[in-house]
Amino acid sequence: MPTPEVRALLQSAFPFHLVFDRDLRLLGVGRSLPKICPAAVEGAALLDVARLLRPKGVRDAAGLIERSDQLFLLQIPHNGVQLRGQVIALAPANPASTRFGFIGSPWVTNLETVAGLGLTLTSQMEARYPFDPTAVYSCVLHDWGPPPDSYWSA
């Protein structure tokens, strides 16, 4: 596993992260991920927990690292939730690193989706950042549908 400091940072900053090894076995998950993906537990196979939609054709750790500069899109099979993010080596100075992380978040395009996922702000976050309808409305994305396949690199 990553050092306690790195683990604390991942938990705090990226509550939907996944940590996995070269065999694509989960070594850790973000604190909010089990809310949308109960199958995401230590020891589970990454590709049993989520389908890799983008980049296409990646089936192993080498492929993940080769495409680490690309956008990753994972889908949770049992509910269709998509996670959008990036794969990183957790020890980038070590080319033989055996620990990788998916750093991402649910890809939502409307506020109703968030409520349906059972995700909420903690009371501490709500107290720190009071509700501002202007800010919420400015963050809602218009859903134009998925981008064409030509948008993604092969």
Side-chain angles (χ1 to χ4, degrees):
M1 271 315 289
T3 66
E5 294 83 12
V6 170
R7 189 177 193 138
L9 175 65
L10 287 172
Q11 289 293 352
S12 175
F14 305 106
F16 296 95
H17 77 272
L18 295 162
V19 175
F20 52 93
D21 63 15
R22 284 198 174 275
D23 296 325
L24 304 183
R25 290 272 166 208
L26 294 183
L27 303 173
V29 299
R31 69 179 185 274
S32 295
L33 193 60
K35 293 178 183 178
I36 59 171
C37 185
V41 296
E42 289 185 28
L46 174 64
L47 298 179
D48 289 344
V49 169
R51 286 195 324 246
L52 183 59
L53 301 178
R54 301 279 186 228
K56 290 186 176 185
V58 175
R59 298 285 174 243
D60 57 21
L64 292 174
I65 295 308
E66 285 174 14
R67 300 203 178 158
S68 63
D69 61 336
Q70 297 180 15
L71 172 74
F72 279 73
L73 191 59
L74 303 177
Q75 184 174 46
I76 310 302
H78 84 274
N79 59 15
V81 171
Q82 294 182 357
L83 300 171
R84 185 176 184 216
Q86 180 178 358
V87 170
I88 60 170
L90 293 179
N94 178 4
S97 176
T98 59
R99 305 281 191 265
F100 307 95
F102 170 80
I103 307 300
S105 60
W107 189 9
V108 294
T109 55
N110 63 59
L111 294 176
E112 292 79 25
T113 304
V114 174
L117 296 176
L119 301 175
T120 59
L121 292 176
T122 65
S123 57
Q124 295 89 352
M125 291 299 287
E126 288 177 357
R128 185 180 295 167
Y129 304 103
F131 179 73
D132 177 359
T134 305
V136 171
Y137 294 131
S138 69
C139 292
V140 174
L141 300 174
H142 183 75
D143 185 5
W144 294 96
D149 280 340
S150 61
Y151 175 82
W152 307 94
S153 59

